Amino acid sequence: MIAKEISIAPWVQQFVDMYQVLNKHNLHLLAEVYAAEIRFTDPLHQIEGLSALQRYFAGIYANVESLRFEIETVITAGDDAALTWVMHFTHPKLNGGQVISVSGMTHLRQGDDKIVCHRDYFDAGQMLYRHVPLLGTAINIINRRLVSA
């Protein structure tokens, strides 16, 4: 759901709508918005092709207990779109199984009515590293030392 009601390009609205209902049981929906030759990049992965993207999402949904996106802003310019969002998820091995919220941004590019490029920007530490028991403690110590320096 977009925080502010605005008029956005239909292909972007289709993307947003799909992510509001996407789960491990309906990953076939990815083919409705992504081109067969999709290039997907985030701070942790680089994926080429729809089949590889579907496998990646199957792995994500197999490991999380819940996952939802709160879309905050959408900006479109021709075949490009930028979205800011907050991802809320729970993972049994991270943060004691409690909700983790991560702010991020997505850049999309469409071609022939499907998304051909999807790039996510987010802080991997906020999403993952700070919630791993020993690693999170070490990162917090380093951050405190940097701030006090």
Side-chain angles (χ1 to χ4, degrees):
M1 170 135 337
I2 300 175
K4 297 176 187 173
E5 285 299 319
I6 57 172
S7 176
I8 61 175
W11 66 275
V12 178
Q13 187 64 58
Q14 183 181 15
F15 171 85
V16 169
D17 292 346
M18 188 238 352
Y19 270 91
Q20 299 308 305
V21 299
L22 192 65
N23 62 55
K24 65 183 174 183
H25 302 293
N26 62 7
L27 294 176
H28 64 276
L29 295 176
L30 295 168
E32 294 179 12
V33 299
Y34 289 113
E37 67 279 1
I38 180 66
R39 284 181 297 123
F40 178 95
T41 306
D42 69 19
L44 304 171
H45 303 89
Q46 186 163 348
I47 297 163
E48 304 258 345
L50 183 58
S51 295
L53 185 64
Q54 288 170 320
R55 285 191 302 276
Y56 171 64
F57 274 90
I60 289 172
Y61 281 102
N63 291 307
V64 298
E65 293 176 347
S66 67
L67 174 64
R68 74 178 174 85
F69 287 89
E70 179 182 338
I71 307 298
E72 296 180 325
T73 307
V74 177
I75 301 168
T76 58
D79 288 339
D80 289 285
L83 299 86
T84 61
W85 43 261
V86 179
M87 175 178 57
H88 306 280
F89 72 98
T90 57
H91 189 289
K93 294 182 180 177
L94 297 174
N95 198 32
Q98 299 300 306
V99 174
I100 298 171
S101 297
V102 179
S103 297
M105 188 225 142
T106 297
H107 171 241
L108 302 172
R109 178 165 293 137
Q110 75 142 350
D112 296 328
D113 296 323
K114 297 244 181 164
I115 297 168
V116 296
C117 181
H118 175 148
R119 181 157 190 173
D120 284 340
Y121 299 89
F122 58 84
D123 180 348
Q126 182 185 18
M127 178 181 155
L128 179 64
Y129 306 132
R130 290 180 188 213
H131 304 287
V132 175
L134 295 176
L135 185 56
T137 301
I139 290 171
N140 289 333
I141 290 169
I142 292 168
N143 283 343
R144 280 195 300 271
R145 287 184 181 173
L146 288 172
V147 171
S148 65

